[in-house]
Amino acid sequence: MKVNTQSINFNADRKLIDFIQKRMDKLDMYYDKVIKSDVYLKVENTSDKENKIFEARVSVPGDSFIVKKQCKTFEEGTDTAVASLERQLKKRKEKLRAHT
């Protein structure tokens, strides 16, 4: 799956982008009709420790799923967002099976 990664207010290093790509590729195991995914990484200028925002939009035929997580690190945000997307994709697959 092609993952478009955009970092806002900073430059993401190659290691972080590869980590995100690897995690997002796991979504193909749960739903094989994923068209594309867009990932937005943002850093808020606050004194709060949880100032990293991970936002992912996954497009599937006829729908798209959006997950937004705010965490201390982008790796943590990636893991929680992918877990949430896994649940959503499983639910979608079950709905499609029920209709056929």
Side-chain angles (χ1 to χ4, degrees), residues 38-50:
D38 299 314
V39 173
Y40 304 99
L41 306 171
K42 300 174 191 166
V43 177
E44 285 189 336
N45 295 329
T46 63
S47 59
D48 193 21
K49 288 203 186 300
E50 293 191 357

Side-chain angles (χ1 to χ4, degrees), residues 61-79:
D63 206 359
S64 66
F65 302 103
I66 300 171
V67 174
K68 189 173 184 179
K69 299 291 179 185
Q70 187 165 351
C71 295
K72 292 178 184 173
T73 65
F74 285 118
E75 289 82 359
E76 181 187 351
T78 302
D79 287 338

Side-chain angles (χ1 to χ4, degrees), residues 4-96:
N4 299 321
T5 307
Q6 294 182 358
S7 54
I8 301 165
N9 296 337
F10 76 103
N11 291 326
D13 63 336
R14 187 83 230 147
K15 204 166 83 172
L16 177 62
I17 293 171
D18 290 342
F19 177 82
I20 292 169
Q21 178 71 48
K22 197 168 87 176
R23 289 292 195 269
M24 296 294 282
D25 283 342
K26 289 184 178 182
L27 294 176
D28 283 337
M29 294 188 319
Y30 300 102
Y31 194 79
D32 57 352
K33 294 181 176 72
V34 175
I35 299 169
K36 68 173 185 165
S37 60
D38 299 314
V39 173
Y40 304 99
L41 306 171
K42 300 174 191 166
V43 177
E44 285 189 336
N45 295 329
T46 63
S47 59
D48 193 21
K49 288 203 186 300
E50 293 191 357
N51 65 341
K52 314 251 184 330
I53 298 173
F54 179 93
E55 188 174 341
R57 175 180 290 131
V58 176
S59 299
V60 297
D63 206 359
S64 66
F65 302 103
I66 300 171
V67 174
K68 189 173 184 179
K69 299 291 179 185
Q70 187 165 351
C71 295
K72 292 178 184 173
T73 65
F74 285 118
E75 289 82 359
E76 181 187 351
T78 302
D79 287 338
T80 56
V82 167
S84 179
L85 284 166
E86 284 173 10
R87 285 192 303 275
Q88 291 180 24
L89 290 172
K90 283 180 191 175
K91 191 184 283 187
R92 167 134 176 123
K93 197 171 187 177
E94 291 299 319
K95 274 187 181 176
L96 290 176

